[in-house]
Each structure stands twice: as C-alpha cells, then as structure tokens.
Amino acid sequence: MSDSENQQPRTTGASREADDVSGASTSGEAAGPASDLGLLEALRRGDEEAYLSLVSMHYAAMLRLALMYVGSRAVAEEVIQETWVGVLQGLDRFEGRSSLKTWIFRILLNRARTRAQRENRTIPFSALVTTTEPFEPTVEPDVFRSAEDQHPGSWITPPAAWDSLPEERLLSLETRQQIDQALTTLPAAQREVITLRDIDGWSANEVCDYLDISEANQRVLLHRARARVRRALAGYLAAG
Amino acid sequence: MIEHAMTCQELVELITSYLDDALPADARQRFERHLAVCPGCAIYLEQMRMTLRLLGTLSAETIPATTQQELLAAFRGLRHMGESR
Ligand SMILES: [Zn+2]
C-alpha cells in the first residue's frame, strides 16, 4: 500500500493551491484543505464516527442527485453505496487537487452515469450546456407596471408576506413536499446547482469547481432555480 | 434624481447576487436604497430567504438505518482488507 499521500506535507491552504489545476478556485475557497486533512486522516484511520457523520451529512443531496440519473430510490441507494465504496478504495490515491467533497461527488456522478447507461436511461445534461442561455425574467413580467406607466417596473401586485403564516405550516411535511415537487420540475443543471448550494450548503466556488462552470453561469442557474421554487411555494401558500 | 433608480423588476433579478455578496458596491447601494423604501421588494426578499431556509431543511432527511448499516459494513470490510494486505 502506498503511503506517499500521507507523507506529503499538506499543512496549509497554499500547498493545496499549488497543485490545483482548476482555474475556478483561484480565490482558495473551493476546497477546504484544513478540514479535509483532519477528515482524511480520520477516514484512513478507520474512524467510524467521522465516516458515518460524513455519510449522513451528504445523504440527502446524494440521493437527490442520484435520482436525477437512475429510476428508483432503491437503485439510487445502491449508487450511494457504490460511491462510498469507491471513496474508501480511492482514499490512498486522493491527491487533494479538489476538495474531498468535490472528489466524493465526482465519484457519485460517475457511478450514477454508469448505472443510467446500464439501465438505458437518458443521461441528463449537466450544467455545461447552458452557458449561453439568454436572459429570461424569473418573475412574471405582468406583475410589474409596463414601460408606458409612470413608474415602470414597479409592483402592480406585490407579493404577500409569509410572516403571518404559522411556523408549523411553513415547516410542515406538505410544504417540504411542495419544494421537492418544484425541484423535480427544474432543468437538470439548475437542479444540480440548487441541490449543492441550498440543500448541501456548498459555496459558489465549490459548485463552479465541481461543475466546471463560470461564476456568472452558476449564479444564473441558481437564481432561476431559487425563483422557481419560491414561486411554487408562493402559489401553494397563497392557496391556503 | 441624478442616477437611474433601481426598479422592482430589476431588483428581483439581482437577489441571488445580493445574497452572495457579489454585487458591485454601487449596485449594492442602489439595491439597499430601493429595499429600504419598497415594502413589496422587502417581502420578496424575505420570501426568498425563507425559501432558502426551507431548502436547507431538506438536508436533514435521515439516512435509512439499513443503508447506514450497509455503509458501515462496507467501511469495516474495506478497512479489514487494507489491514490484512
Ligand atoms: Zn421594489
């Protein structure tokens, strides 16, 4: 077994940057080298608690991403399992060129794609294809005053505040199901970005690095996705 | 008014940039100036913040006990293999 990875000095973010070939992470936020180091060491040591907390931390996002490729929850669970086996088998080869998280999710993506091919399912386009989408408003233009109006672009029908709604309603299972429903209607690239950013809590830089997209592209995808979910929620909550 | 004031329709499209602190300083100022005097946009921003909060709760979806057991077994198995190599 090779221990060369362990012997390399990786004590600072700067040392990680040096072997980072990706251009998207120049600000240094893309990877979390310090926390990665501790986590890597724990996994290599066989620390079950660290492993299980990592597994459950990313479970929801992994399941959602896998379900974009495969047909059933059972197969998605298998993809997740194969992913972790791949992670554990590859731990000694992990070089820190990307963050540990990014590396894990790339393995997930590969496993999910392989399964989708085996099942003869269409592989969804990933974020790469949407770089040159034209601008589209995310809020229906007809809720704003027109150009001929004295105050063009201001609300005709302002949104209704949600703060009068009971917290139990907002946090109810049904509300979460509405969000889930809205997520499944999103184009693949938007769904990937919002899942990583807002469900799994990645930074913009991490997502750009992982999907190999520009910051501007990432933001457009996220913005459209969030706007769609907000709109679905507004419709649901207004219906009372 | 000397400079063009941000409209509601413009503001709603800048919310993601605003929340990511990715707006240039002057746009940020115009955004905040508008927000301070426009209840409709303030509500829209609040709705967006709540949407993000609710999306965040989806990460708490718990892993089925059987899956967790299988993943743990895989961890133990692979580790064992590594040790005996
Ligand atoms: Zn406004």
Side-chain angles (χ1 to χ4, degrees):
Chain A
M1 187 192 296
S2 158
D3 272 330
S4 62
E5 178 73 13
N6 286 332
Q7 283 156 9
Q8 277 170 32
R10 290 190 183 280
T11 45
T12 65
S15 75
R16 186 204 141 263
E17 284 301 314
D19 71 358
D20 196 336
V21 290
S22 123
S25 55
T26 40
S27 71
E29 278 173 44
S35 57
D36 276 8
L37 254 191
L39 198 50
L40 260 179
E41 214 170 90
L43 291 176
R44 285 173 177 155
R45 200 168 59 221
D47 184 333
E48 294 183 353
E49 212 170 295
Y51 170 69
L52 283 180
S53 87
L54 189 65
V55 160
S56 55
M57 187 196 303
H58 295 305
Y59 175 74
M62 283 185 160
L63 185 64
R64 283 185 162 75
L65 292 177
L67 278 170
M68 290 173 62
Y69 292 84
V70 300
S72 70
R73 173 138 186 178
V75 179
E77 296 269 1
E78 280 174 36
V79 167
I80 292 174
Q81 206 148 337
E82 287 171 15
T83 300
W84 287 109
V85 169
V87 167
L88 297 171
Q89 285 172 337
L91 269 186
D92 290 329
R93 291 190 308 272
F94 177 70
E95 287 173 356
R97 284 210 177 84
S98 54
S99 73
L100 184 61
K101 186 166 68 181
T102 309
W103 179 68
I104 292 170
F105 275 75
R106 286 211 179 101
I107 296 178
L108 175 83
L109 206 62
N110 283 330
R111 296 294 189 279
R113 284 200 173 121
T114 306
R115 283 304 284 259
Q117 269 161 351
R118 226 187 292 158
E119 294 183 341
N120 283 319
R121 291 175 59 91
T122 325
I123 296 176
F125 287 117
S126 126
L128 304 171
V129 289
T130 55
T131 337
T132 52
E133 273 181 71
F135 172 78
E136 268 169 44
T138 58
V139 180
E140 322 82 292
D142 57 5
V143 302
F144 298 109
R145 296 183 194 282
S146 69
E148 296 82 52
D149 193 280
Q150 206 186 341
H151 302 285
S154 59
W155 298 102
I156 297 170
T157 327
W162 292 346
D163 49 18
S164 58
L165 296 167
E167 185 92 345
E168 311 87 74
R169 171 111 202 269
L170 282 168
L171 296 172
S172 70
L173 179 63
E174 211 186 331
T175 304
R176 287 209 300 277
Q177 284 166 343
Q178 292 293 322
I179 298 176
D180 251 330
Q181 178 59 36
L183 289 173
T184 59
T185 66
L186 294 176
Q190 292 183 26
R191 205 167 151 190
E192 282 175 322
V193 172
I194 198 172
T195 300
L196 295 170
R197 286 288 315 267
D198 293 340
I199 300 180
D200 216 38
W202 294 29
S203 72
N205 276 330
E206 286 172 332
V207 173
C208 291
D209 182 37
Y210 172 65
L211 295 172
D212 197 20
I213 53 177
S214 71
E215 234 180 279
N217 196 199
Q218 186 270 154
R219 197 169 304 125
V220 168
L221 293 168
L222 179 65
H223 183 66
R224 288 184 187 175
R226 284 177 174 177
R228 291 266 285 267
V229 174
R230 186 216 63 89
R231 194 164 157 182
L233 272 173
Y236 163 72
L237 293 168
Chain B
M1 204 176 284
I2 302 157
E3 66 179 359
H4 160 69
M6 191 176 282
T7 69
C8 305
Q9 198 166 10
E10 288 165 344
L11 185 142
V12 295
E13 302 300 346
L14 293 173
I15 278 188
T16 301
S17 303
Y18 176 73
L19 293 174
D20 265 353
D21 205 8
L23 283 181
D26 62 324
R28 186 181 180 87
Q29 269 175 19
R30 291 197 298 138
F31 186 104
E32 286 173 342
R33 223 175 292 149
H34 180 118
L35 204 60
V37 296
C38 180
C41 285
I43 289 172
Y44 190 90
L45 179 63
E46 265 321 295
Q47 288 191 350
M48 197 57 102
R49 286 207 164 106
M50 178 55 80
T51 302
L52 301 192
R53 194 182 142 204
L54 294 174
L55 278 162
T57 66
L58 297 184
S59 71
E61 180 160 0
T62 46
I63 186 162
T66 50
T67 307
Q68 179 159 332
Q69 282 311 311
E70 282 163 3
L71 287 169
L72 190 57
F75 188 58
R76 287 176 178 154
L78 285 165
R79 229 194 122 225
H80 186 71
M81 270 167 52
E83 278 168 349
S84 60
R85 219 180 287 164

